[in-house]
Amino acid sequence: MRILIAPDKFKGSLSAREVAENIELGFRRVLPQATIDIVPMADGGEGTAEVISDALGGSWLKCHAHDPLGCRIEARYAYIASEKLAVTEMSEAAGLRRLTSRVRDPLRASTFGVGEILLDATRHGARQVIIGLGGSATNDGGFGMARALGFRFLANQMELTNGPTELVGLTKISRPAGLHLPRICAAADVRNPLLGERGATRVFGPQKGATSEQIPILEQALARLADVVARELGCEFRNTPGAGAAGGLGFGLMSFCGAEVRSGFEVVAEILRLEQKVNQSDVVVTGEGRLDGQTLEGKTPAGVAEIARKHGKPICAIVGRVDRKIDYSQLFGAIYELARPPVNEMEAIKLAAELLRERAEEAALSFRDSKVGTTGTN
């Protein structure tokens, strides 16, 4: 039997590689003779740079940047010298994980540090940059990033240099002279537009601390940004799927950097040759920390499941928690949940490695008893 294990991270608990390795240990207890391949996955969220770097043999470079609230930090990004490819995540500079004080302030939070990382990668000779868009603390439409690249934003004669709410008064955008950036691929794990009920502010703003009073202000600011970008820069991306990713950074990367926004899962799957590995397997196992409605919007487990179904491979998911209100039967043959009675969610996080091994044993027993892939395999 050939088993492919292709999970995402369990956020706040284990990396994708740690998840895959623990699932492998559980399977080996039941199927010691099986051939097991592990392919740690990501979908544009946190962990994307690590997964791609590990797969392509990259190294890590460091640079100075600013966090969402303007404090100086040391950021890092992966660099694959043979490909002249830099891989980073917006969360490295502008993510919620950078808010050590736990203060969430979307009226101030900026993507300025993202621009600083892009400039450093350019100086190191990168010809292509992949940037993951998950985990953001910002809602500025790429305003801060663009400022770091040299764009100037004006309200009549006054330059705007603070938070995104200033954009309500935006009247002009000035391009920097001589800016040359690599080809940029923005890897998004959501397909939301910039504005509206499914837009960056209304869907994700509350997660970043936006109050009901602040949401209309932030929405108005991004709408004004989109209007002035269309007039001054001659491009229109507000309705493009993924424009609302990372608080509108998807929109900003397309507008100011000429970036292409792609499904983060598809970008990673292509680099890791996931479809070829699925096709060579007998069974597939995937997983993530929480299975819910967002899973169906392009997250790793759904992407892996679609490829497995395409090739007629049985697939199960091992996950931390499941939103039971959603029907996943078209994706997975079985789901194994870590947080089930008597184990609560907090205990499941602490015991994730042990519970992954236990649930993997259960899955392995099911595959063994159904005799999947036993003919002509190890």
Side-chain angles (χ1 to χ4, degrees):
M1 182 184 294
R2 181 178 287 273
I3 301 161
L4 177 68
I5 300 172
D8 206 330
K9 65 187 177 300
F10 278 36
K11 191 171 182 178
S13 180
L14 299 173
S15 69
R17 176 163 294 279
E18 290 169 330
V19 172
E21 288 172 347
N22 279 287
I23 292 174
E24 179 184 16
L25 288 172
F27 266 81
R28 290 214 178 277
R29 291 173 182 172
V30 176
L31 299 166
Q33 302 304 313
T35 299
I36 300 180
D37 300 317
I38 67 169
V39 183
M41 287 295 301
D43 51 26
E46 292 173 60
T48 296
E50 184 176 358
V51 164
I52 294 176
S53 180
D54 286 351
L56 298 182
S59 57
W60 292 94
L61 300 180
K62 295 180 179 179
C63 67
H64 292 294
H66 290 82
D67 75 7
L69 300 182
C71 298
R72 283 183 63 82
I73 56 170
E74 184 176 75
R76 70 170 194 162
Y77 59 92
Y79 191 70
I80 296 88
S82 61
E83 306 286 335
K84 295 192 181 302
L85 168 66
V87 188
T88 187
E89 298 164 13
M90 74 83 59
S91 64
E92 179 64 19
L96 286 170
R97 63 190 178 92
R98 283 294 186 184
L99 300 179
T100 54
S101 65
R102 305 295 181 188
V103 175
R104 300 185 179 190
D105 188 353
L107 300 188
R108 289 176 52 213
S110 171
T111 52
F112 193 90
V114 177
E116 292 175 303
I117 294 174
L118 290 176
L119 287 175
D120 194 79
T122 302
R123 286 191 289 267
H124 273 90
R127 293 179 182 171
Q128 181 180 3
V129 177
I130 296 173
I131 176 167
L133 298 188
S136 71
T138 55
N139 201 95
D140 74 351
F143 166 48
M145 174 205 68
R147 286 185 50 244
L149 298 177
F151 286 84
R152 297 179 66 217
F153 296 79
L154 303 169
N156 297 319
Q157 300 304 313
M158 182 180 73
E159 185 166 1
L160 308 180
T161 59
N162 294 312
T165 55
E166 286 190 328
L167 293 170
V168 171
L170 181 66
T171 57
K172 183 176 177 59
I173 300 172
S174 173
R175 295 176 185 265
L179 177 65
H180 298 288
L181 293 172
R183 184 160 55 95
I184 297 174
C185 173
D189 58 356
V190 297
R191 294 177 56 78
N192 302 68
L194 180 67
L195 304 169
E197 291 303 316
R198 294 188 60 253
T201 304
R202 290 197 170 97
V203 174
F204 303 112
Q207 301 171 10
K208 302 166 189 182
T211 66
S212 58
E213 294 80 14
Q214 293 170 340
I215 285 174
I217 300 170
L218 289 165
E219 180 78 355
Q220 184 183 358
L222 292 187
R224 183 62 179 170
L225 176 64
D227 289 343
V228 179
V229 163
R231 188 184 71 228
E232 298 282 307
L233 304 184
C235 53
E236 178 58 86
F237 296 111
R238 74 184 78 196
N239 295 319
T240 302
L249 181 60
F251 170 84
L253 285 164
M254 289 187 283
S255 300
F256 304 116
C257 305
E260 176 189 18
V261 173
R262 292 186 58 196
S263 156
F265 172 79
E266 290 178 4
V267 170
V268 176
E270 187 178 290
I271 291 171
L272 273 55
R273 299 180 182 176
L274 180 67
E275 186 158 0
Q276 178 183 342
K277 293 171 182 176
V278 167
N279 194 36
Q280 293 171 344
S281 68
D282 293 310
V283 298
V284 180
V285 184
T286 188
E288 68 175 347
R290 180 173 174 81
L291 207 61
D292 57 23
Q294 288 194 2
T295 303
L296 309 181
E297 295 291 324
K299 298 286 189 178
T300 291
V304 175
E306 287 173 6
I307 295 173
R309 293 296 193 187
K310 174 182 174 182
H311 292 278
K313 307 296 182 179
I315 179 167
C316 73
I318 303 176
V319 302
R321 188 82 181 178
V322 181
D323 180 351
R324 299 285 179 183
K325 298 189 292 292
I326 297 170
D327 180 11
Y328 309 96
S329 60
Q330 296 302 309
L331 293 176
F332 311 110
I335 298 171
Y336 300 88
E337 186 177 11
L338 271 58
R340 67 190 191 201
V343 178
N344 63 38
E345 191 167 355
M346 292 304 297
E347 290 170 332
I349 292 171
K350 292 178 182 177
L351 302 173
E354 178 185 340
L355 292 172
L356 276 168
R357 296 190 291 271
E358 290 180 5
R359 303 297 183 262
E361 285 187 57
E362 295 174 22
L365 285 167
S366 176
F367 285 129
R368 186 193 68 182
D369 294 344
S370 65
K371 296 183 172 56
V372 173
T374 56
T375 304
T377 67
N378 293 329

